[in-house]
Amino acid sequence: FFFQAEDGIRDYKVTGVQTCALPISGSGSVAADRRRCGMLLLGISLVFLTAGLLTPETSGSGTLRQLGLPGCLVRQLTGLRCPTCGMTTGFAFFVRGQWLFAWQANPAGFLLAAGMGLSWPVLACSVMGRAVAVTRLLLRWLPVLLLLWSVFTGLQWFVWVLTGTWF
């Protein structure tokens, strides 16, 4: 698609308005997609690298204390696990291939780690200029996938509050 744009020339010697055709889609959007993919790829890589440097707690939660962070404030105040309790531990198990332990630490964390792991090669290909169509599909559906993941996270927490177990 193109649109016509005036260049602003107003001179008695010019017998008309000078125009040019400027693209409104095309290579600029591919470059922007590659930048977004590069940022996502960097973020995912840093999360997995950090998880790989941590030793997962066998209790299923508490691994984030190795990062110098306090334990879960919700758990300290209420005695209940919050929806994200165990995610750091789950990621630490996930990067070691101990997926059952990752699921047991926090099912939503396992699904998030799996989604990030599956998207990593697609994002890497996109940054290198390949898999553009797949990447655009991923970027288009990413908000929906994150919304579904958030709903799952809330549901798993609700089940935990009612039953005392994840699933």
Side-chain angles (χ1 to χ4, degrees):
F1 298 104
F2 293 89
F3 72 94
Q4 298 287 51
E6 293 183 343
D7 65 4
I9 297 175
R10 297 284 189 264
D11 191 295
Y12 71 92
K13 298 176 191 168
V14 177
T15 59
V17 176
Q18 301 292 316
T19 63
C20 62
L22 300 173
I24 59 173
S25 66
S27 62
S29 61
V30 172
D33 285 348
R34 288 178 71 183
R35 280 191 301 276
R36 280 192 291 273
C37 289
M39 295 302 291
L40 285 170
L41 184 65
L42 178 62
I44 290 170
S45 298
L46 290 173
V47 167
F48 283 154
L49 177 65
T50 302
L53 295 173
L54 299 173
T55 303
E57 292 288 330
T58 56
S59 66
S61 65
T63 304
L64 83 147
R65 289 190 195 104
Q66 295 173 38
L67 297 171
L69 299 170
C72 176
L73 184 61
V74 171
R75 194 172 199 175
Q76 291 173 9
L77 294 175
T78 67
L80 297 174
R81 292 177 68 145
C82 77
T84 62
C85 274
M87 275 199 195
T88 306
T89 302
F91 269 76
F93 279 127
F94 185 88
V95 298
R96 288 167 173 75
Q98 297 174 320
W99 295 345
L100 179 60
F101 291 125
W103 177 268
Q104 291 170 343
N106 188 310
F110 172 83
L111 292 178
L112 182 61
M116 290 168 65
L118 291 172
S119 66
W120 196 96
V122 174
L123 294 169
C125 287
S126 178
V127 168
M128 292 183 292
R130 295 174 174 77
V132 173
V134 175
T135 303
R136 285 196 171 163
L137 186 65
L138 176 67
L139 291 175
R140 180 178 299 131
W141 283 95
L142 188 60
V144 174
L145 294 172
L146 289 174
L147 176 65
L148 290 173
W149 175 81
S150 298
V151 168
F152 178 81
T153 302
L155 288 174
Q156 89 165 1
W157 184 73
F158 185 69
V159 167
W160 185 86
V161 168
L162 292 178
T163 65
T165 62
W166 286 123
F167 284 115

